């Protein structure tokens, strides 16, 4: 087993991914997209509803197709402005706990008639990622992944609002 390099190059913080996007949908609609089973299953998963026990300590099961099934552990729920969970993306099938997972945080801020969504994932330097999982669970994969997923969330929420 090896860990991903924790050494930043060019001042890059490889322990934190931070994405923001403006969405032309109200905060309540974006909140539903992030926390309701049928919506999460559509923008993140394989189209099937994602089982979600929406409370601190509850489990949200993310289906990431060929990359595996991930029982994430919900950390905080503050509707409709903040939602966070732990994700053990390097360990499919394992419940996410401190020590094997990163923290994913969604912050929703009203912006006119729409929403400013911020997604932050932290903790890559605190976990061991098996060599064979680095391409799908490491910082670089998630950095690119959240750029794509933020756009997926935007397009999905805007279609719902139409």
């Amino acid at each position: 087993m090896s860990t991903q390099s924790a050494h930043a190059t060019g001042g890059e913080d490889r322990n934190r991914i931070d994405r923001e996007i403006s969405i032309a949908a109200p905060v309540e609609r974006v909140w539903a997209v992030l926390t309701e089973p049928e919506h999460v299953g559509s923008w993140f998963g394989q189209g099937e509803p994602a089982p979600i026990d929406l409370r601190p300590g509850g489990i949200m099961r993310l289906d990431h197709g060929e990359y595996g099934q991930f029982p994430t552990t919900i950390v905080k729920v503050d509707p409709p402005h903040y939602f966070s969970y732990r994700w053990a993306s390097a360990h499919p099938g394992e419940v996410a706990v401190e020590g094997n997972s990163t923290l994913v945080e969604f912050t929703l801020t009203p912006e006119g008639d729409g929403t400013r969504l911020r997604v932050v994932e932290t903790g890559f330097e605190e976990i061991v990622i098996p060599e064979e999982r680095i391409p799908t669970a490491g910082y670089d994969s998630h950095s690119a992944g959240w750029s794509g997923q933020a756009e997926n969330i935007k397009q999905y929420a805007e279609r719902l609002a139409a």
Side-chain angles (χ1 to χ4, degrees), residues 97-115:
V97 295
E98 284 192 44
N100 76 348
S101 63
T102 54
L103 179 67
V104 177
E105 301 172 275
F106 296 94
T107 304
L108 293 75
T109 307
E111 187 177 66
D113 293 336
T115 303

Side-chain angles (χ1 to χ4, degrees), residues 6-77:
H7 300 289
T9 55
E12 181 182 25
D13 179 356
R14 295 184 59 82
N15 199 42
R16 177 186 182 90
I17 296 165
D18 194 335
R19 299 287 177 268
E20 283 195 27
I21 196 164
S22 291
I23 301 174
V27 167
E28 294 76 17
R29 179 74 43 80
V30 177
W31 176 261
V33 166
L34 295 175
T35 61
E36 292 180 5
E38 65 275 17
H39 300 312
V40 175
S42 293
W43 67 263
F44 184 91
Q46 307 303 302
E48 294 295 317
I52 300 172
D53 182 5
L54 192 62
R55 61 176 178 81
I59 299 293
M60 175 172 66
R61 297 194 179 277
L62 296 179
D63 181 351
H64 209 13
E66 65 183 289
Y67 305 114
Q69 305 277 327
F70 299 93
T72 69
T73 302
I74 295 171
V75 176
K76 187 173 178 185
V77 180

Side-chain angles (χ1 to χ4, degrees), residues 139-159:
Y139 174 88
D140 292 328
S141 166
H142 284 223
S143 183
W146 279 119
S147 295
Q149 290 293 25
E151 188 60 38
N152 287 348
I153 294 165
K154 171 185 170 71
Q155 290 178 10
Y156 184 83
E158 289 177 352
R159 275 198 314 272

